[in-house]
Amino acid sequence: MLKVSKFGGSSLASADQVRQVCDIITADPERRLIVVSAPGKRHSEDIKVTDLLIAAASERLTGKIGASECAEVIERYRSIASGLGLPPEVIEPIARDLTERLEKSTTDANLYMDTMKAGGEDNCARLIAQALQARGVEAHYVSPKDAGLILSDEPGNAQVLPEAYSRLRDLNERPGITIFPGFFGYSKEGNIVTFSRGGSDITGAILASAVRAEVYENFTDVDSVFAANPSIVKEPAPIAELTYREMRELSYAGFSVFHDEALEPVYRAQVPVHIRNTNNPKAQGTLIVPNRASTDIPVVGIAAMDSVCCIYLSKYLMNRQIGFGRRLLQILETEDISFEHVPSGIDNMSVIIREENLSMQKEKRVVEQIRQTLAPEDVFVERRLSLIMVVGEGMRHTVGIASRATHALASAQVNIEMINQGSNEVSMMFGIKSEDMETAVQALYAEFFA
Ligand code: ASP
């Protein structure tokens, strides 16, 4: 059997962390396909290698040199290599590669940015392969291009193309341990393209699905997924088991332990995901599975998404007007705005959008077009909202969850601006003012977990 194991940036931030990662890899002969992120932060004030590379690329794109940021990245690899006792020459190809990337043409800004960003994972994978080889282990770096990880040509936000899966299946046949860089692949034209930020989780999920892994182990820096954000709720309960759908809802609304786009590939192939802690590999972790045995626990987690806004509009007899909703969404499409939810009543509709997707200029244009095209009685935009999600498969056959949730919010003096329950009944969503977010999460946690 084969396990795909992915190690996040904090697990690779220093020589000590990399040593720990190598111990974990070699402890289990089934761990043969390893995906790595770029080195992350060593302490809270530190800068991730990916962020340094973005800073270097941004400098060059504004006509400057970006050399100091690039040198800082090279220094990060050098300190990991020397801390591992590797010979100084191992850093030469890494330094050359990063310098070459920095000096590439900036004519296509998106391509240039993605080429720089990918340098973090690519060089980390080469270094980890060498660290394992130095222990006498057969380990090989593989390039996503040679392996066939073909992605859509959407820089910074690429999606895997279906034909990649059959090509990646051959990774199964490789000798020894394969070290695969996360976060990027290649377009059909042969250009480097990256996933969205945190995208090494997606690489791991695609590989796990392609090779039909027994499990996809996702090593990070926490013992498990917790039922609420530990910076809002003190010592929240760990979650032992979750379904793919529950995890999708939680990561959508702010649980950053696992990238929400990483669930689709493993869900399709029904490969379980095991979230584990590099610094405490004995901890139970969280298992993400197709079906949870204990659905008698109705709610598994409370998530909160901050910085959303809402376009409200109302028009008498709106329900009778065919095409009203389509025309509203068409205005957003024309402005290239993606939306999150569209709760509606008989004579009103609201569209919930992440604030980052609705700049003040876009807001002005959208409101103007709504007025002209749809002639509503009222239209306005409210900012600084938060969405709170109460998530759990067990909700489907448990009476009274909504009543308990609304009661808890009312007792905490939180005004609910909107309620939405998806038809799959895996989550219930409450829109509230951002200033009430922490109080709301604490009140709901106390209701369902205390
Ligand atoms: N290094 C990339 C980032 O910081 C991808 C990842 O770590 O998953 O976003």
Side-chain angles (χ1 to χ4, degrees):
M1 289 304 265
L2 166 65
K3 289 179 180 167
V4 171
S5 309
K6 180 252 163 180
F7 293 89
S10 55
S11 305
L12 299 154
S14 65
D16 282 347
Q17 288 286 286
V18 170
R19 212 172 281 121
Q20 178 83 357
V21 165
C22 293
D23 289 346
I24 293 173
I25 296 173
T26 50
D28 184 343
E30 291 185 354
R31 291 191 182 118
R32 285 192 291 112
L33 189 45
I34 310 299
V35 176
V36 295
S37 284
K41 292 183 182 197
R42 292 160 292 187
H43 46 83
S44 58
E45 276 81 50
D46 203 10
I47 306 176
K48 292 170 88 173
V49 159
T50 309
D51 289 320
L52 285 170
L53 291 166
I54 292 172
S58 308
E59 286 275 295
R60 275 236 40 220
L61 287 169
T62 49
K64 296 182 209 122
I65 302 171
S68 65
E69 291 83 356
C70 189
E72 230 179 291
V73 172
I74 297 169
E75 188 43 44
R76 293 287 299 273
Y77 289 110
R78 195 191 309 278
S79 86
I80 295 173
S82 76
L84 291 172
L86 297 175
E89 311 82 81
V90 301
I91 211 67
E92 282 163 21
I94 295 177
R96 205 167 34 245
D97 173 82
L98 289 164
T99 313
E100 275 169 21
R101 284 178 202 255
L102 183 71
E103 287 166 1
K104 276 194 190 306
S105 156
T106 53
T107 318
D108 182 335
N110 291 330
L111 170 61
Y112 180 72
M113 181 56 90
D114 272 16
T115 304
M116 285 295 287
K117 274 153 78 182
E121 271 65 13
D122 209 21
N123 286 297
C124 189
R126 290 174 202 272
L127 191 59
I128 302 302
Q130 282 178 311
L132 287 164
Q133 286 157 10
R135 291 182 175 209
V137 176
E138 184 180 4
H140 306 277
Y141 157 87
V142 66
S143 150
K145 192 173 206 168
D146 297 340
L149 181 52
I150 321 161
L151 308 183
S152 62
D153 195 6
E154 293 171 88
N157 197 24
Q159 314 271 332
V160 64
L161 296 183
E163 56 264 43
Y165 286 97
S166 55
R167 298 184 55 184
L168 292 166
R169 203 155 296 146
D170 293 348
L171 288 170
N172 232 334
E173 313 302 327
R174 288 184 166 249
I177 298 171
T178 301
I179 312 293
F180 198 107
F183 192 37
F184 73 97
Y186 285 79
S187 68
K188 278 190 171 158
E189 295 70 37
N191 293 328
I192 289 180
V193 263
T194 66
F195 294 114
S196 54
R197 291 298 305 270
S200 299
D201 282 352
I202 309 176
T203 308
I206 294 166
L207 300 195
S209 164
V211 301
R212 303 274 155 175
E214 171 197 346
V215 63
Y216 171 28
E217 295 179 308
N218 196 284
F219 281 92
T220 174
D221 53 6
V222 287
D223 275 354
S224 67
V225 177
F226 295 102
N229 183 341
S231 64
I232 300 180
V233 170
K234 212 166 149 240
E235 292 179 17
I239 309 177
E241 201 176 58
L242 277 168
T243 68
Y244 296 119
R245 298 198 305 169
E246 288 169 334
M247 189 69 226
R248 159 83 176 117
E249 303 274 339
L250 291 171
S251 28
Y252 164 79
F255 275 41
S256 56
V257 167
F258 194 60
H259 198 301
D260 62 346
E261 284 176 47
L263 282 158
E264 202 271 337
V266 278
Y267 170 74
R268 263 195 324 144
Q270 302 276 291
V271 176
V273 181
H274 195 177
I275 309 279
R276 308 187 63 172
N277 190 350
T278 302
N279 298 317
N280 186 12
K282 290 206 170 73
Q284 188 189 12
T286 298
L287 208 55
I288 309 172
V289 288
N291 296 301
R292 184 154 60 83
S294 48
T295 42
D296 50 320
I297 305 167
V299 173
V300 291
I302 316 285
M305 184 202 282
D306 206 7
S307 303
V308 293
C309 56
C310 182
I311 306 176
Y312 290 97
L313 62 160
S314 59
K315 185 169 189 178
Y316 188 59
L317 289 181
M318 185 190 87
N319 63 321
R320 304 271 299 275
Q321 215 173 314
I322 291 169
F324 190 92
R326 182 189 53 73
R327 278 182 286 152
L328 171 61
L329 298 180
Q330 180 70 59
I331 294 170
L332 299 180
E333 187 179 340
T334 311
E335 285 287 342
D336 201 26
I337 297 167
S338 72
F339 68 89
E340 305 300 314
H341 306 271
V342 190
S344 64
I346 5 175
D347 289 336
N348 50 64
M349 256 175 113
S350 28
V351 187
I352 297 172
I353 299 168
R354 290 181 198 253
E355 289 211 43
E356 70 206 38
N357 295 333
L358 189 72
S359 63
M360 289 315 247
Q361 292 95 311
K362 280 196 180 181
E363 174 183 326
K364 253 178 103 187
R365 288 200 297 270
V366 165
V367 169
E368 191 45 44
Q369 285 187 51
I370 290 175
R371 283 212 176 96
Q372 280 176 15
T373 324
L374 300 166
E377 269 130 38
D378 198 9
V379 50
F380 64 94
V381 175
E382 189 173 355
R383 289 184 177 262
R384 292 198 42 73
L385 295 174
S386 293
L387 300 182
I388 309 290
M389 313 269 283
V390 177
V391 177
E393 295 268 0
M395 240 185 249
R396 214 173 306 131
H397 36 78
T398 313
V399 177
I401 300 294
S403 135
R404 282 175 66 188
T406 50
H407 186 257
L409 291 172
S411 305
Q413 307 290 315
V414 173
N415 182 38
I416 302 171
E417 308 242 331
M418 74 199 103
I419 303 183
N420 196 12
Q421 179 169 36
S423 44
N424 62 8
E425 278 193 70
V426 176
S427 71
M428 204 173 284
M429 185 200 89
F430 299 96
I432 58 165
K433 291 216 185 317
S434 286
E435 67 223 41
D436 291 333
M437 186 181 88
E438 294 203 354
T439 313
V441 172
Q442 285 156 356
L444 290 167
Y445 183 83
E447 174 62 35
F448 293 105
F449 294 91

